[in-house]
Amino acid sequence: MNEYSNYFEYCVEVKNEGALRLKRFLLVLAYILFPVVLFSLLCMLRLYVLGCFTVLLTAILCFFTWRYVQIEYEYIVVKGEMSFSKIFGRRSRREFLKVRIHDMSMLAPYKDAYKSRADSIDKKYYAVSSIKSPDIYAAIFKEGKKNEQAVVLFEATSKFVRLAKFYNSAIVVENPELRY
């Protein structure tokens, strides 16, 4: 295989549900209340001229905070090493996990017996658009100096499963129901 066929990149956008929906609602509420409270306070202090800055300050607040509720997860496999990144508002990216496929002890669909095995592990990383997605895979690996077990949940594609089988076929469980 050449280096282009050993490369995989996939990105999923987190769906607006659960805690993310609550955070978005609270931010929109803050965007409404902030200018109202600020303008009222400035009027009470008879600083009417400074009221024109309320719109500017609200725009700055929106610009710097809304990206934290526009989250995407990106998975990249290069030379057998899988890295997971969290992307905020399509502007800033933070890599939060890097693990070699060869070092994984299980790579299977997040269903049935595999689900219970993954749920038994305390340290979990999430990189899914929704926990209800049918394409979720669980990867168990050892992490840190103490070699503690950890699990990462992510959405797999058939191309990724084929590539993972190339690097470590003993631990990969295929799922014929993958959508992509």
Side-chain angles (χ1 to χ4, degrees):
M1 293 183 123
N2 64 24
E3 67 182 66
Y4 293 111
S5 60
N6 287 341
Y7 177 81
F8 173 77
E9 183 176 353
Y10 191 63
C11 191
V12 294
E13 188 172 339
V14 177
K15 292 185 180 174
N16 187 18
E17 58 188 27
L20 185 63
R21 177 178 283 172
L22 178 65
K23 288 177 187 176
R24 282 186 178 194
F25 173 76
L26 292 175
L27 267 180
V28 169
L29 190 64
Y31 297 155
I32 294 169
L33 291 178
F34 174 74
V36 170
V37 170
L38 181 63
F39 191 73
S40 300
L41 182 66
L42 291 173
C43 286
M44 286 174 45
L45 296 173
R46 296 178 192 245
L47 298 171
Y48 304 111
V49 177
L50 295 177
C52 63
F53 291 109
T54 305
V55 174
L56 178 66
L57 291 174
T58 305
I60 291 171
L61 177 71
C62 293
F63 179 77
F64 285 109
T65 57
W66 187 252
R67 68 175 153 181
Y68 293 108
V69 293
Q70 285 185 313
I71 302 169
E72 295 177 352
Y73 289 107
E74 182 181 55
Y75 330 123
I76 299 176
V77 177
V78 178
K79 296 181 183 175
E81 189 169 64
M82 189 169 189
S83 63
F84 295 89
S85 299
K86 197 173 191 179
I87 302 172
F88 297 100
R90 296 189 175 121
R91 286 185 284 199
S92 60
R93 143 201 279 251
R94 293 192 185 134
E95 186 176 284
F96 65 91
L97 181 63
K98 191 176 263 193
V99 63
R100 291 177 37 138
I101 295 174
H102 184 68
D103 296 337
M104 294 178 182
S105 60
M106 182 188 88
L107 185 61
Y110 188 61
K111 297 178 183 176
D112 308 325
Y114 304 115
K115 182 179 193 290
S116 60
R117 182 173 172 199
D119 288 341
S120 68
I121 297 173
D122 292 331
K123 186 149 189 182
K124 289 185 178 67
Y125 295 98
Y126 292 93
V128 294
S129 63
S130 171
I131 202 67
K132 299 172 187 171
S133 174
D135 299 330
I136 296 178
Y137 259 63
I140 298 176
F141 58 96
K142 296 199 185 265
E143 158 180 81
K145 293 179 182 176
K146 296 180 181 178
N147 280 335
E148 297 176 295
Q149 277 198 330
V151 64
V152 60
L153 301 176
F154 63 97
E155 293 183 37
T157 65
S158 56
K159 181 181 177 184
F160 167 76
V161 173
R162 284 193 309 273
L163 186 60
K165 281 187 81 111
F166 173 75
Y167 286 111
N168 193 351
S169 62
I171 57 118
V172 177
V173 177
E174 290 190 61
N175 182 5
E177 300 171 2
L178 287 176
R179 293 180 295 171
Y180 305 108

